[in-house]
């Protein structure tokens, strides 16, 4: 089923596209790349009629995308969103994966077969009766991918679907994508900032300044360093490429002042222990990286440390009323949005803490994240995924807390957004802040942290200050 886009134009408060033209042949694997806010997600939402173009025509096979054909078109296209919460329908994993096939009027027997097959493909068979609200972000993403596979689509659109997955599950999902593409002839459209996900692509479409540039040789695209840099992209990165890199020279000798102490802490969801016997001291002036596979308890630990979840057993001790001085940047930034404008969102926490100089705090925090005052009156919900993340980070920066916990901060950021974040982390280190980074990005954890933790099945099984030791440990884990 071919895709053809002719003279597509779209405008919100400014032109997003102007005269977009491209073709995707049936069975091709196509990557769509570009800066945060360049319009990648907006573009693909036109393909199944989630958005309507101001001008232009789109054909999916022989059908024009319009109100008359939209039902037929959507039967053939599965869409996996950046944020899995945006498409979760059911209460349990099994219900959610079954929802699509049920609406396509598959028989009960076929629905069961599709659900079991697609859950096995993404490694979630053992969670099929689990409540979706109890899953980690990475597990929810795998469920969303499973739901897409279960609908037996001819075209699959994946929008930053691996941004919250660990290395092993990224490889598993890439294997699934390649199986769909090569063995089942499913057309794959993959939006990503991680070019290693596009090594096997047939071609790449680059969105730059509202125009499409087409590259039929992906290796030529990967080697054009000036083009990549201009568009916030980095060369493909593999685990073996990681070299031992010294972090900045940070004074970590002052570790006597314990800010947060966890003593034999447990946390339970729905009768299941998610955190098990966690004992951990977090000191002043540390930068701690926490890694582990999806669902191991990393985000739950961050919620407990920030006081949003109450531990079910054990003790949690804060120094100097630190509970009020601990800021958490959520894995999904929209989970922390309360206000209708970016300005009010960034000011929200500072106002609730009765801090002074709100205007200055908001302006400085947004500037650190690469924004100017033009964004103040925009809705945070209408920004790109990467822009939402940077606004969420600015919201915590405006509070000037002693401890800042970043949960998957690098997800969905282009190279420009990542640079703003890394510059911000560097500044926070120099101010003596304690920083906790929960991430699947081993390269950035190694570069920017001074202490390294690894979680497995709700437990901390590794805690070291030695980078080389942690790198060797991680390579063994990922083999």
């Amino acid at each position: 089923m071919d895709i053809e886009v002719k003279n597509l134009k779209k405008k919100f408060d400014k032109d997003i596209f102007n005269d977009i033209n491209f073709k995707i042949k049936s069975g091709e694997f196509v990557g769509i790349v570009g800066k945060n806010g360049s319009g990648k997600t907006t573009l693909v939402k036109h393909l199944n009629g989630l958005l309507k173009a101001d001008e232009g025509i789109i054909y999916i096979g022989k059908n024009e995308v319009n109100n008359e054909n939209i039902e037929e078109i959507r039967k053939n296209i599965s869409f996996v969103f950046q944020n899995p919460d945006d498409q979760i329908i059911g209460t349990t994993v099994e219900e959610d994966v079954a929802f699509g096939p049920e609406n396509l009027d598959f028989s009960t027997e076929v629905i069961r077969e599709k659900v079991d097959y697609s859950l096995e493909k993404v490694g979630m068979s053992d969670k099929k009766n689990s409540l979706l609200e109890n899953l980690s972000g990475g597990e929810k993403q795998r469920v969303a991918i499973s739901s897409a596979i279960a609908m037996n689509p001819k075209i699959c659109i994946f929008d930053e679907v691996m941004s919250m997955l660990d290395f092993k599950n990224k490889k598993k999902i890439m294997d699934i994508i390649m199986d769909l593409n090569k063995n089942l002839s499913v057309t794959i459209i993959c939006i990503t900032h991680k070019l290693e996900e596009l090594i096997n692509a047939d071609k790449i479409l680059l969105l730059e300044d509202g125009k499409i540039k087409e590259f039929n040789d992906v290796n030529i695209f990967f080697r054009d360093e000036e083009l990549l840099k201009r568009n916030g992209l980095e060369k493909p990165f593999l685990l073996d490429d990681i070299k031992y890199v010294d972090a900045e020279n940070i004074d970590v000798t002052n570790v006597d002042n314990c800010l947060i102490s966890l003593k034999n802490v447990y946390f339970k969801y729905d009768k299941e222990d998610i955190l098990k016997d966690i004992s951990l001291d977090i000191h002043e002036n540390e930068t701690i990286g926490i890694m582990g596979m999806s669902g191991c308890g990393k985000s739950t630990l961050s919620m407990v440390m920030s006081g949003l979840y109450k531990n079910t057993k054990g003790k949690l001790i804060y120094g100097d009323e630190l509970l009020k001085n601990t800021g958490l940047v959520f894995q999904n930034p929209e989970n922390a949005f309360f206000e209708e404008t970016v300005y009010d969102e960034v000011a929200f926490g500072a106002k609730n803490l009765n801090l002074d100089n709100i205007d200055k705090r908001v302006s400085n925090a947004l500037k650190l994240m690469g924004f100017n005052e033009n964004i103040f009156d925009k809705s945070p919900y209408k920004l790109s995924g990467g822009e939402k993340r940077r606004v969420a980070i600015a919201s915590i920066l405006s509070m000037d807390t002693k401890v800042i916990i970043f949960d998957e901060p690098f997800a969905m950021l282009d190279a420009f957004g990542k640079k703003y974040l890394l510059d911000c982390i560097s500044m926070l280190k120099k101010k003596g802040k304690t920083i906790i980074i929960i991430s699947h990005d081993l390269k950035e954890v190694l570069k920017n942290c001074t202490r390294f933790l690894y979680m497995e099945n709700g437990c901390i099984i590794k805690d070291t200050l030695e980078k080389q030791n942690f790198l060797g440990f991680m390579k063994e884990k990922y083999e």
Side-chain angles (χ1 to χ4, degrees):
M1 183 170 282
D2 293 351
I3 299 169
E4 185 171 8
V5 176
K6 293 182 175 181
N7 307 314
L8 187 70
K9 292 185 180 181
K10 185 68 177 180
K11 185 173 185 176
F12 290 130
D13 54 344
K14 63 177 182 178
D15 285 335
I16 304 296
F17 316 125
N18 189 9
D19 202 25
I20 294 284
N21 292 272
F22 64 86
K23 291 181 181 180
I24 296 174
K25 293 178 182 177
S26 180
E28 280 192 315
F29 176 6
V30 178
I32 299 182
V33 299
K35 298 176 186 175
N36 285 141
S38 62
K40 302 181 297 296
T41 299
T42 301
L43 173 61
V44 296
K45 282 183 176 179
H46 287 79
L47 301 183
N48 66 346
L50 288 174
L51 290 176
K52 188 176 185 212
D54 296 327
E55 294 181 35
I57 301 173
I58 300 171
Y59 289 100
I60 306 295
K62 295 180 180 178
N63 290 319
E64 182 182 340
V65 178
N66 56 36
N67 291 336
E68 293 178 8
N69 297 323
I70 200 64
E71 187 175 334
E72 185 63 31
I73 285 168
R74 287 178 179 168
K75 286 180 181 178
N76 293 303
I77 299 179
S78 285
F79 197 136
V80 185
F81 292 92
Q82 286 179 351
N83 183 350
D85 288 329
D86 289 343
Q87 64 190 99
I88 283 175
I89 303 294
T91 303
T92 68
V93 169
E94 185 176 37
E95 286 175 5
D96 194 74
V97 177
F99 181 82
E102 285 172 352
N103 279 272
L104 293 175
D105 291 327
F106 290 176
S107 68
T108 302
E109 187 177 279
V110 170
I111 291 170
R112 167 59 49 213
E113 180 184 312
K114 293 290 183 188
V115 170
D116 290 345
Y117 169 79
S118 60
L119 283 173
E120 183 182 357
K121 277 284 187 185
V122 300
M124 291 290 288
S125 296
D126 62 331
K127 297 272 188 178
K128 77 175 180 180
N129 296 317
S130 298
L131 294 174
L132 285 156
E133 64 186 27
N134 291 346
L135 300 183
S136 71
E139 287 173 325
K140 286 179 182 177
Q141 193 63 283
R142 284 191 281 156
V143 172
I145 293 167
S146 178
S147 298
I149 295 170
M151 294 176 69
N152 201 27
K154 291 184 172 64
I155 299 168
C156 262
I157 301 172
F158 297 101
D159 189 0
E160 297 280 6
V161 297
M162 286 178 272
S163 60
M164 290 185 286
L165 298 181
D166 58 80
F167 187 85
K168 275 190 174 179
N169 279 309
K170 279 184 181 180
K171 185 178 183 306
K172 185 180 291 182
I173 297 306
M174 278 309 307
D175 289 345
I176 292 167
I177 289 173
M178 293 311 300
D179 179 57
L180 289 171
N181 182 238
K182 300 303 180 187
N183 297 326
L184 301 177
S185 299
V186 176
T187 302
I188 301 294
I189 299 173
C190 185
I191 297 175
T192 183
H193 293 294
K194 303 286 188 182
L195 295 187
E196 57 269 20
E197 296 170 18
L198 302 179
I199 287 173
N200 295 308
D202 296 305
K203 68 181 176 186
I204 289 176
L205 301 177
L206 169 66
L207 257 175
E208 184 176 23
D209 299 327
K211 301 283 187 182
I212 280 281
K213 296 181 179 178
E214 191 169 323
F215 297 84
N216 292 307
D217 188 328
V218 296
N219 291 315
I220 290 176
F221 179 78
F222 292 155
R223 289 196 295 267
D224 193 334
E225 294 187 20
E226 192 279 329
L227 180 70
L228 298 183
K229 184 177 180 181
R230 192 170 74 232
N231 286 281
L233 299 165
E234 297 174 324
K235 282 185 176 182
F237 159 74
L238 303 172
L239 184 65
D240 287 340
D241 294 334
I242 298 177
K243 300 292 188 290
Y244 172 68
V245 182
D246 282 322
E248 298 171 34
N249 293 320
I250 307 298
D251 179 12
V252 292
T253 57
N254 179 22
V255 294
D256 292 330
N257 186 12
C258 182
L259 300 179
I260 304 175
S261 182
L262 293 83
K263 305 290 187 188
N264 308 111
V265 165
Y266 285 75
F267 182 80
K268 188 172 288 193
Y269 268 143
D270 194 30
K271 299 181 181 180
E272 179 184 357
D273 284 325
I274 306 300
L275 300 181
K276 305 168 188 173
D277 200 22
I278 299 282
S279 292
L280 174 67
D281 288 341
I282 295 168
H283 302 91
E284 193 171 44
N285 211 27
E286 285 194 300
T287 304
I288 301 172
I290 303 179
M291 301 195 73
M293 293 186 70
S294 300
C296 70
K298 304 184 299 297
S299 293
T300 301
L301 178 60
S302 76
M303 296 284 204
V304 170
M305 288 191 293
S306 61
L308 293 174
Y309 287 168
K310 172 67 177 168
N311 47 300
T312 47
K313 284 172 62 177
K315 290 184 179 180
L316 187 62
I317 304 165
Y318 295 93
D320 190 26
E321 294 189 337
L322 200 72
L323 181 56
K324 296 178 182 177
N325 257 299
T326 300
L328 170 61
V329 181
F330 287 85
Q331 188 177 80
N332 290 322
E334 287 183 358
N335 290 351
F337 287 167
F338 298 95
E339 300 289 352
E340 294 182 2
T341 70
V342 168
Y343 176 92
D344 290 337
E345 187 58 50
V346 177
F348 182 85
K351 284 181 178 178
N352 277 274
L353 291 175
N354 295 316
L355 302 177
D356 56 7
N357 299 318
I358 298 295
D359 285 348
K360 186 177 180 181
R361 287 175 181 274
V362 171
S363 182
N364 287 346
L366 284 168
K367 187 177 179 181
L368 276 170
M369 285 292 101
F371 295 113
N372 57 39
E373 294 184 1
N374 292 336
I375 202 170
F376 280 12
D377 295 327
K378 291 186 177 180
S379 166
Y381 298 97
K382 292 184 178 180
L383 302 177
S384 73
E387 289 168 331
K388 287 175 183 174
R389 189 165 299 281
R390 283 154 57 202
V391 167
I393 293 167
S395 300
I396 299 300
L397 296 180
S398 70
M399 297 162 61
D400 197 29
T401 55
K402 287 183 181 179
V403 177
I404 302 175
I405 305 172
F406 296 97
D407 192 355
E408 294 293 353
F410 304 110
M412 292 184 283
L413 291 183
D414 60 15
F416 299 119
K418 186 182 282 190
K419 184 179 186 305
Y420 288 125
L421 174 57
L422 293 175
D423 287 347
C424 168
I425 289 173
S426 176
M427 177 273 294
L428 293 171
K429 287 179 181 179
K430 289 170 183 173
K431 289 177 69 175
K433 303 291 187 183
T434 296
I435 301 166
I436 300 169
I437 300 173
I438 297 171
S439 180
H440 293 303
D441 194 327
L442 178 57
K443 180 182 178 182
E444 296 304 341
V445 167
L446 286 170
K447 272 181 78 174
N448 294 283
C449 297
T450 56
R451 182 178 170 194
F452 311 94
L453 276 63
Y454 187 86
M455 292 186 67
E456 196 169 274
N457 298 321
C459 303
I460 294 173
I461 65 168
K462 186 75 174 178
D463 184 352
T464 180
L465 300 172
E466 299 294 328
K467 289 188 181 186
Q468 288 284 41
N469 179 278
F470 191 69
L471 175 57
F473 171 85
M474 291 301 291
K475 284 191 172 181
E476 286 181 11
K477 281 286 172 189
Y478 286 159
E479 281 178 356

